[in-house]
Amino acid sequence: MDNTALALLPLALAYIMFTLGTGLKPSDFKVIASHPKAFFVGLVNQVIFVPLVALVVVLVMVPPPAMAFGIMLISFCPGGVTSNILTYYAKGNVALSVALTGVVSLLSVVTLPIFITVAFDHFMQDQAGSISAVKIGLVMFLLTTLPVTLGMLARYKFTNFMIRRSGTLNGLASIFFVLIVFAAIASNWALLQSQLANIGVELILMIMGLFVLSILTSQLFKLSWFDTKTISIETSIQNSTTAITLAPIIMGTAAGLPAIALPAAVYGVLMYVVALPVIALIRNKSG
């Protein structure tokens, strides 16, 4: 990946987050009041249990430091619009999915800098230099929180236009997502060939573990299958674009995507491989 393409990554992420915002409206967050227990379970799963499951996988499988940190990095990222679409396909609570995606995305401006700094200091301690939580927080604000907020404002000010153009906006966002994933894979092709067997197993274990854990926690709190399906998808689907875009910023590289971006790219593919069959099994389950 050349310098120009690398420089466009943040713009692509900002656009994707803007499209997320254009799909949000204030009424979407009413589900927090109407389904407080389901929202709480989903929020805890997404913010706390996803990194914990990733940490268990990393500690058990012991991948190389860069791969370990990359796995942790993707676990820190929020879900994306994809989780909302998959929830719709699974006949789940789309309003809950949208609310969780929006809130966790906005929270990531605080959670991501903290988690990334701790994980980097642990797994990448042999790397020269250090990273700044403040810098990452500022980057997250500019690339996620601000675009989401502007998207919501655009939806409020130009409601009819945004609704009419939602298909085009989301389609372009999907193209950007695919291009970013493939760019990360292409930049680390040799590493992928040597690590695919290991990293593939580790990420599949992580995704399957997230599905199982999220279903168990939802059932523990006696949530309906309508909400359980939603939380399991929201917990297991991560925003790979965020992790890939942050990777060169974290490593301070100006050319080419660093190795820590590879787990996110592979996750962006494998999450569909695991999720779609699971969704096909649970979509018609209602109780």
Side-chain angles (χ1 to χ4, degrees), residues 5 17 33 37 44-45 70 81 128 174 177 189 203 212 230 233 239 254:
M17 300 310 293
K37 186 164 65 172
V44 171
N45 270 316
V81 180
S174 298
F177 167 75
W189 182 247
L203 292 176
V212 171
T230 304
I233 294 168
N239 191 338

Side-chain angles (χ1 to χ4, degrees), residues 64-71 73 124 127 184-185 187-189 191-192 195 199 243-244 247-248 251 253 255-266:
M67 295 298 97
F69 178 72
I71 291 172
L73 177 59
M124 305 290 284
Q127 294 286 327
I185 291 175
S187 293
N188 294 278
W189 182 247
L191 182 62
L192 176 63
Q195 292 289 327
I199 196 175
I244 295 170
M251 299 304 296
T253 54
L257 285 168
I260 63 169
L262 186 57
V266 177

Side-chain angles (χ1 to χ4, degrees), residues 84-165:
N84 308 151
I85 298 171
L86 292 178
T87 297
Y88 174 80
Y89 174 71
K91 300 180 181 179
N93 189 340
V94 177
L96 175 61
S97 177
V98 169
L100 282 169
T101 298
V103 170
V104 175
S105 294
L106 294 174
L107 279 177
S108 65
V109 72
V110 175
T111 59
L112 261 169
I114 296 172
F115 290 163
I116 287 174
T117 302
V118 172
F120 187 91
D121 289 343
H122 179 76
F123 292 104
M124 305 290 284
Q125 52 189 269
D126 294 334
Q127 294 286 327
S130 61
I131 59 174
S132 167
V134 174
K135 178 182 177 181
I136 295 174
L138 178 60
V139 169
M140 287 302 300
F141 173 77
L142 293 175
L143 298 185
T144 60
T145 306
L146 183 59
V148 168
T149 304
L150 291 175
M152 292 182 67
L153 182 61
R155 166 74 180 241
Y156 175 75
K157 290 290 187 180
F158 311 104
T159 305
N160 292 334
F161 177 82
M162 288 300 170
I163 292 174
R164 288 199 310 270
R165 300 298 181 185

Side-chain angles (χ1 to χ4, degrees), residues 168-273:
T168 302
L169 292 171
N170 291 332
L172 188 56
S174 298
I175 292 173
F176 281 146
F177 167 75
V178 172
L179 290 176
I180 289 170
V181 167
F182 277 105
I185 291 175
S187 293
N188 294 278
W189 182 247
L191 182 62
L192 176 63
Q193 289 178 303
S194 64
Q195 292 289 327
L196 181 58
N198 294 325
I199 196 175
V201 170
E202 291 154 3
L203 292 176
I204 287 174
L205 287 174
M206 177 180 164
I207 299 167
M208 293 179 66
L210 290 173
F211 265 110
V212 171
L213 180 62
S214 56
I215 289 174
L216 289 177
T217 54
S218 298
Q219 292 300 285
L220 179 66
F221 282 88
K222 296 180 169 54
L223 299 182
S224 67
W225 262 100
F226 183 57
D227 290 338
T228 297
K229 289 186 288 188
T230 304
I231 291 171
S232 69
I233 294 168
E234 197 67 31
T235 302
S236 307
I237 302 300
Q238 300 297 101
N239 191 338
S240 298
T241 309
T242 301
I244 295 170
T245 303
L246 284 176
I249 296 171
I250 293 169
M251 299 304 296
T253 54
L257 285 168
I260 63 169
L262 186 57
V266 177
Y267 194 102
V269 176
L270 290 181
M271 66 184 184
Y272 295 108
V273 174

